[in-house]
Amino acid sequence: MKTWLDKWEPEDETFWNTGGSTIAWRTLIITTLTLILSFASWFMMSVIAVKLPGLGFNFTKDQLFWLTAIPGLAAGLLRIVHTFILPIFGTRHVVSFATAIKLIPVIGIGFAVMDVNTPFWVFAVLAFTTGFGGGDFSSYMPSTSLFFPKRLKGTALGIQAGIGNFGVSLAQFITPLLLGVGLYGASTVFTSISPKETITVFQNSNVEKQKEVFAGLNVDVQTAILANVKKNVLDSVAASVQSDDKAVLFTSLPVKAKAKAIANANPKLAERILNDISPDHTAVTNKPIYLQSAAFWFVPFLILLSIISWFYLRSIPMKASIKEQMDIFSNKHTWYCTITYIMTFGTFAGLSAAFPLMIKFLYGDFPNAPDPLVYAFYGPFIGSASRVAFGFVADKVGGAILTTITGFGIVIGAIILVTQGLVAPTSMEQFPLFVAVILGMFFFTGIGNAGTFRQYPIIFAENQRQAAGVIGWTAAIAAFGPFIFSKLIGNNLSLNGTVNQFFIGVAIFSILATGINWWFYNRKGCEKPS
């Protein structure tokens, strides 16, 4: 069975109409289906991490954000590898192997979540292996770029990237549905705490009983619980009672502050505390779930598509060593394109990873707090859909104007988030606008992702091998988006409980990227109109 095609000339109408088109579209269909699973497995930790505390995993807020950040770090590094392997190994070998190797994270995570004693470092390693899925993009997309003629590149790349991006929504949509389905293994009890009912517990219980229960906790546990209280509130209470005894400090807090501190603790710990204070409360809900199903469902699809890829894909005869491919870095436009794609795809991927935990930690303390997984999949779904739709538009009007529009959209969204207090909320009334603005930003990232991938083959039209390499490289760097977003957002929340500073930074960077795109690729008389 041959791996390499004898020739590939998609710009030749005769060649294209007598078999080339069939091979190209067949390749696009198979690689797009595998790319859906790539994105889904890459982002699976973003939804699984939200549920870990409720199962009894005693991970801190920072550790949970690390679990959503590590896949982005891994994907960025692995995409750099993928950028250079396509001309060496070819489409058939790369796609078949890349699909099969994702069995490692999905099986590993499935077993890890079944044991509450699984240490954090194991989850960190498994989170890194989910980057296998994130890495694929930087070889799959250059492959598609090579298979299609110039007039169809925007459409083909838009279809593959957009539909592939639906994998993010798939992971975030299907997880809540599968939590009640036992594909393998026993169920685990998931505990959730109602902030509203927790307030009622403290309003109706004896202060001496609260002090007795809190004093019986380990000192480290007491410290962790008090860390959930705003520093200015804790300092004010300490000055008032003139004591550094943690039990005294806790019981002297306002009722809402005490309730918030307990509700933000590990749910299993919070349940024990609330039961000791008031056994007849209704603040705790327990239900059996199968979190492992959110990982195990991938297995049969990965096996099937790796087999299909091996038997039905072929590779274009365009070989080049890694050294030869390094010539893209001497071209200034490689670096300008990298900046614009960080703005578009980096923002899409970063928001996709951080959105569920942002909902949990920004709005989870309010009465009637939202379930992050109810809303999480909408953003990636909208961003993916707009990428598909505007791939066709990019072929008609050019990609540069779409990238410029995206920059304006992201900047306006970031400004609204900060100026309206949506990422430093004071009530649930702000939540609908918060979700609307984030979804709007997702929509614009989809437009920009379609625009940029229409631009790059035109900017590097004199060398299609370079164009494919730049697509892979820019995608690699932008894949660090989940790492950057998750870590910086997590750090912001830990330091001051808001995400204002982060989104100010997003606005500033987007202004820079939009300016570069407009100057070099969009304005009248620009250097590389695209």
Side-chain angles (χ1 to χ4, degrees):
M1 186 178 296
K2 291 177 59 177
T3 293
W4 299 93
L5 296 165
D6 293 326
K7 68 172 184 176
W8 191 255
E9 299 173 356
E11 302 298 342
D12 183 332
E13 286 291 332
T14 301
F15 174 83
W16 182 254
N17 292 327
T18 56
S21 174
T22 300
I23 294 172
W25 286 105
R26 182 179 67 206
T27 302
L28 179 66
I29 291 170
I30 294 173
T31 55
T32 299
L33 290 174
T34 61
L35 193 60
I36 292 173
L37 293 183
S38 296
F39 273 95
S41 61
W42 181 23
F43 280 87
M44 63 189 294
M45 192 60 83
S46 70
V47 289
I48 287 175
V50 174
K51 294 294 184 182
L52 292 178
L55 296 183
F57 289 93
N58 195 26
F59 298 154
T60 66
K61 184 188 301 184
D62 282 343
Q63 286 176 319
L64 292 175
F65 271 105
W66 264 111
L67 291 182
T68 62
I70 289 173
L73 176 64
L77 296 173
L78 292 168
R79 281 190 179 192
I80 294 174
V81 175
H82 273 270
T83 297
F84 300 106
I85 62 176
L86 183 68
I88 299 174
F89 298 105
T91 300
R92 180 193 185 202
H93 287 94
V94 169
V95 175
S96 300
F97 179 77
T99 303
I101 200 174
K102 286 189 283 290
L103 289 168
I104 294 174
V106 302
I107 293 175
I109 290 172
F111 282 107
V113 300
M114 293 169 66
D115 183 1
V116 75
N117 295 313
T118 303
F120 175 75
W121 71 264
V122 172
F123 274 98
V125 171
L126 290 171
F128 189 91
T129 64
T130 64
F132 292 153
D136 297 344
F137 193 82
S138 284
S139 57
Y140 286 36
M141 294 295 282
S143 169
T144 298
S145 176
L146 294 171
F147 270 96
F148 284 83
K150 292 178 183 178
R151 61 186 174 83
L152 293 175
K153 286 186 189 293
T155 298
L157 292 171
I159 290 173
Q160 180 165 64
I163 294 179
N165 287 170
F166 277 120
V168 182
S169 294
L170 181 65
Q172 296 177 338
F173 174 75
I174 205 169
T175 295
L177 301 180
L178 288 174
L179 294 181
V181 180
L183 298 180
Y184 177 85
S187 63
T188 309
V189 175
F190 178 80
T191 301
S192 58
I193 308 295
S194 167
K196 183 178 180 179
E197 294 301 320
T198 302
I199 293 174
T200 302
V201 170
F202 282 95
Q203 286 174 333
N204 298 336
S205 60
N206 185 284
V207 173
E208 287 303 315
K209 182 63 175 179
Q210 297 171 18
K211 183 177 180 180
E212 175 189 338
V213 172
F214 195 83
L217 300 173
N218 179 281
V219 174
D220 291 337
V221 173
Q222 292 177 344
T223 301
I225 291 174
L226 289 174
N228 294 325
V229 181
K230 289 184 178 180
K231 189 176 183 301
N232 62 327
V233 174
L234 197 60
D235 289 344
S236 175
V237 171
S240 174
V241 299
Q242 295 184 340
S243 172
D244 58 0
D245 182 282
K246 291 181 171 57
V248 173
L249 286 174
F250 178 77
T251 51
S252 300
L253 289 169
V255 169
K256 288 186 177 180
K258 283 189 285 191
K260 179 179 178 181
I262 297 301
N264 278 347
N266 181 278
K268 299 292 186 183
L269 171 63
E271 179 182 24
R272 292 197 300 271
I273 293 172
L274 292 171
N275 286 344
D276 288 342
I277 293 174
S278 176
D280 298 326
H281 68 83
T282 57
V284 178
T285 301
N286 287 307
K287 64 178 180 180
I289 66 169
Y290 298 87
L291 188 58
Q292 65 269 29
S293 296
F296 286 144
W297 75 269
F298 288 94
V299 173
F301 297 102
L302 290 172
I303 294 173
L304 176 63
L305 282 170
S306 62
I307 294 171
I308 291 174
S309 298
W310 181 258
F311 282 102
Y312 288 97
L313 292 181
R314 295 295 177 268
S315 304
I316 291 175
M318 181 211 65
K319 296 186 178 182
S321 67
I322 291 178
K323 183 178 180 180
E324 291 170 327
Q325 295 178 68
M326 298 293 281
D327 60 355
I328 62 173
F329 298 119
S330 62
N331 191 323
K332 66 181 181 181
H333 293 289
T334 297
W335 303 106
Y336 297 150
C337 291
T338 301
I339 291 172
T340 59
Y341 201 57
I342 290 173
M343 177 182 72
T344 60
F345 183 77
T347 301
F348 170 83
L351 286 177
S352 296
F355 191 30
L357 285 178
M358 284 175 65
I359 294 174
K360 176 179 176 64
F361 290 116
L362 287 174
Y363 289 90
D365 296 336
F366 299 117
N368 302 315
D371 181 349
L373 297 191
V374 171
Y375 299 91
F377 83 95
Y378 285 110
F381 179 84
I382 289 172
S384 302
S386 62
R387 184 167 194 165
V388 174
F390 281 88
F392 299 96
V393 176
D395 277 334
K396 299 295 184 182
V397 304
I401 182 62
L402 298 185
T403 305
T404 298
I405 290 171
T406 292
F408 282 113
I410 293 175
V411 170
I412 292 171
I415 290 173
I416 294 174
L417 288 175
V418 173
T419 59
Q420 299 303 305
L422 305 180
V423 287
T426 55
S427 75
M428 271 298 294
E429 293 179 0
Q430 294 164 280
F431 183 70
L433 182 58
F434 166 77
V435 171
V437 173
I438 293 291
L439 296 186
M441 293 175 73
F442 270 111
F443 175 76
F444 282 108
T445 63
I447 295 175
N449 289 333
T452 49
F453 268 38
R454 169 60 179 168
Q455 288 179 263
Y456 302 161
I458 296 174
I459 294 170
F460 294 87
E462 69 279 1
N463 189 324
Q464 287 303 298
R465 194 259 306 155
Q466 279 192 345
V470 170
I471 287 174
W473 168 257
T474 57
I477 302 305
F480 286 109
F483 175 75
I484 295 170
F485 271 61
S486 294
K487 277 307 299 167
L488 293 183
I489 288 173
N491 290 346
N492 269 199
L493 283 170
S494 296
L495 289 173
N496 52 42
T498 78
V499 198
N500 282 334
Q501 294 89 337
F502 175 77
F503 280 99
I504 291 171
V506 169
I508 292 171
F509 179 81
S510 298
I511 291 171
L512 170 66
T514 305
I516 288 173
N517 180 75
W518 177 80
W519 182 261
F520 288 101
Y521 311 124
N522 194 186
R523 68 184 174 89
K524 184 177 181 180
C526 63
E527 186 173 335
K528 292 278 187 176
S530 53

